[in-house]
Amino acid sequence: MKLYGYWRSSASYRIRIVLNVKGTDWEYVPVLLNEDEHRQAKFRSVNPAALVPVLEVDGARLAQSPAIAEFLEERHPSPPLLPPDPVGRARVRELQHLIGCDVHPLQNLRVLKLLRAEFGQDDDGVAAWCRRWIRDGFAAYETLAKQRTADGRFSVGDTLTLADAWLLPQVYNAQRFGVDLAPYPTIGSIAAHCAALEPVAAAHPSEQPDAPEAA
């Protein structure tokens, strides 16, 4: 199994967490987004959308992190990252997509490049843009996770789910862009607990072979 990814890609980070938690054997193939490798013909032959992550398994290539995560959940059902009941699964997916659909796309590298190139934003302007949307998303996530967590360790119930795999990369981004996490104590508690778990810690951007030494 091969994962094409980039060390700081949130979507790649999510799938690294899932792969590690599932205990699968996988090979990491770096795609250097900062050098536009994803736009070159070689990678477009892997994923015409020119995005990471891509999971290559049994001759198939799968893109889009929710699709990859659902595949891994079905292929490797233990430990489960979705609750057994329909309402529980829907609650996890709601939080998952709150991050993946409403927050993360607005900090995607191609969006940030566009802000600089076509709208004249400098680093401060880009960071302010990111903070604006992260705060909105975290306010909603905080409210929902406070209702759904069993003890402040995980987003839903008392085990790690896909919601946590989506939250941790966004917390990493929030810290990069200087978001004050004090107004989100439930998120902070969940992130601190999950980040200390060995499979999650190994998925951190700084632990990836393509990460700069100072990351």
Side-chain angles (χ1 to χ4, degrees), residues 26 29 32 57 98 104 211:
W26 57 282
V29 182
L32 302 182
V57 55
L98 191 161
H104 166 250

Side-chain angles (χ1 to χ4, degrees), residues 16-37:
R16 293 195 301 263
I17 292 174
V18 175
L19 286 165
N20 288 350
V21 170
K22 294 291 186 182
T24 60
D25 292 325
W26 57 282
E27 174 188 350
Y28 183 57
V29 182
V31 180
L32 302 182
L33 305 189
N34 59 323
E35 297 181 11
D36 284 340
E37 284 188 359

Side-chain angles (χ1 to χ4, degrees), residues 39-81:
R39 299 184 185 280
Q40 306 306 313
K42 181 178 179 180
F43 184 70
R44 283 189 182 273
S45 69
V46 174
N47 183 12
L51 296 170
V52 293
V54 174
L55 186 71
E56 188 172 274
V57 55
D58 296 339
R61 287 172 176 162
L62 307 173
Q64 295 295 337
S65 57
I68 296 171
E70 294 276 352
F71 166 80
L72 291 169
E73 181 72 1
E74 294 174 5
R75 178 76 172 265
H76 303 280
S78 181
L81 294 178

